Amino acid sequence: MVNLKNYRIVMKLFVLLLTFTVITSCAEKKFFVTRIEGKEIGITQQTETASDNAQQQAQQIESFIKPYRENIDKDLSLVLANAPETIDKSGEWQTPMGNFLSDITLEKSNVIFKKRANKEIDVCLLNHGGIRTIISKGDVTARNAYEIMPFENSAIVVGLKGEQILEMTQYIIAEKKPHPLKGLTFTIGKDNQPKAILVNGQPLENTKTYYVVTSDYLVNGGDNMLFFKKATERYDLDYKLRNIIIDYFKANKVIKAEKDQRINKEL
């Protein structure tokens, strides 16, 4: 005779086992990476199996762009001016190239700024790292401008209080780089602090607003020039720095850099 009590226990265990099996089978399965394999596939400019059609298309494209390339090369090679001597980037606190670029940037930008805002630019500050090459002695072309300033940076004028001009001088001293500078002169004291700060030959006034022309890259905090972030006014001249150089080349047949001392250091 079957023991009913034992039968019920066996049935309960069977039901539990069946339920567990169903739940486990429905659960989300997890997969694990056990091995990664790879192989190098060489890429060549043109494979031996390239079709004649592809070659014809490449020739058609080359024929299409050739006249444009030749015209561009002709424009870039046109002689615009002459440099009696090489304008290089050598110097501890300032360089011939830095003087040249800051001078012409202030000069060309000021013409536009006076017309638009009826104000004068006081200072020009650019970054030494933005100058990519020098102007060699001899003929000067538009290609030289592209080599000097290959970036699409534009001239921006900002209004800065005298306090920020002071920060600018402290930044230059701390950086120890010959950043292009025009309109601002000062002396580095024996304590490594700026002194005798002059803007256009006049003593710096902390509360006065000075107008500084620079690049959009620096205005937005490039090279950690954070004092530009405190500008009280901003004017976009829509004038690329490269075009400033080209326009100057066109207007001046002889290119030279001023050698006046803008930053002095106490001995």
Side-chain angles (χ1 to χ4, degrees):
M1 188 173 197
V2 179
N3 189 324
L4 293 177
K5 183 177 180 182
N6 291 338
Y7 177 76
R8 291 193 187 97
I9 293 173
V10 171
M11 286 300 295
K12 288 181 179 179
L13 292 174
F14 176 75
V15 170
L16 289 173
L17 178 61
L18 182 62
T19 301
F20 177 77
T21 302
V22 171
I23 293 174
T24 303
S25 64
C26 294
E28 180 182 357
K29 295 182 179 180
K30 296 182 179 180
F31 299 91
F32 301 91
V33 177
T34 58
R35 184 176 58 186
I36 298 176
E37 294 182 350
K39 63 179 181 178
E40 181 178 346
I41 301 176
I43 300 177
T44 58
Q45 186 174 1
Q46 184 176 355
T47 65
E48 295 179 357
T49 59
S51 65
D52 293 338
N53 184 44
Q55 293 181 24
Q56 291 175 0
Q57 290 179 348
Q59 291 174 356
Q60 290 174 353
I61 294 173
E62 171 61 23
S63 298
F64 179 78
I65 66 174
K66 183 179 179 181
Y68 295 96
R69 183 195 301 118
E70 291 177 346
N71 284 334
I72 292 173
D73 185 67
K74 181 180 178 181
D75 290 340
L76 292 178
S77 300
L78 182 65
V79 176
L80 303 178
N82 182 272
E85 59 183 14
T86 296
I87 303 176
D88 60 27
K89 296 171 59 178
S90 62
E92 182 180 7
W93 294 104
Q94 63 186 66
T95 70
M97 196 66 189
N99 285 2
F100 172 75
L101 289 180
S102 58
D103 287 354
I104 69 172
T105 300
L106 193 150
E107 176 186 325
K108 290 293 185 181
S109 298
N110 200 39
V111 175
I112 299 174
F113 189 59
K114 283 197 294 186
K115 289 181 179 179
R116 294 186 184 178
N118 196 30
K119 299 174 182 178
E120 298 270 351
I121 296 175
D122 299 294
V123 176
C124 175
L125 175 66
L126 302 174
N127 60 321
H128 178 68
I131 309 172
R132 291 301 177 174
T133 189
I134 65 174
I135 297 177
S136 298
K137 179 180 179 180
D139 290 337
V140 178
T141 66
R143 179 176 281 105
N144 293 126
Y146 278 84
E147 293 170 345
I148 295 167
M149 194 67 62
F151 313 108
E152 296 300 313
N153 296 126
S154 297
I156 304 287
V157 177
V158 294
L160 295 180
K161 293 294 185 181
E163 295 174 349
Q164 278 68 65
I165 300 297
L166 174 60
E167 290 181 38
M168 182 187 297
T169 62
Q170 294 170 334
Y171 169 88
I172 293 173
I173 294 173
E175 280 281 292
K176 296 181 180 179
K177 294 179 181 179
H179 295 299
L181 185 65
K182 170 67 173 179
L184 174 66
T185 62
F186 62 93
T187 297
I188 303 173
K190 294 181 179 180
D191 58 356
N192 213 38
Q193 292 299 313
K195 57 189 298 186
I197 304 173
L198 302 176
V199 178
N200 293 321
Q202 300 299 316
L204 181 69
E205 299 178 34
N206 286 340
T207 58
K208 182 178 178 178
T209 296
Y210 296 93
Y211 294 99
V212 181
V213 62
T214 185
S215 72
D216 52 353
Y217 168 71
L218 298 178
V219 163
N220 293 322
D223 277 12
N224 208 33
M225 294 192 185
L226 301 181
F227 45 85
F228 280 128
K229 293 280 191 177
K230 302 176 183 179
T232 57
E233 301 173 52
R234 173 170 172 157
Y235 303 85
D236 190 341
L237 301 185
D238 299 314
Y239 199 2
K240 293 191 182 301
L241 298 182
R242 182 195 307 119
N243 291 340
I244 289 176
I245 301 172
I246 292 175
D247 289 346
Y248 188 84
F249 287 167
K250 290 179 178 179
N252 297 269
K253 298 307 178 183
V254 178
I255 305 301
K256 63 179 182 179
E258 298 296 335
K259 300 180 180 180
D260 56 304
Q261 198 69 24
R262 302 176 188 187
I263 300 177
N264 295 289
K265 188 173 183 179
E266 287 186 345
L267 300 177

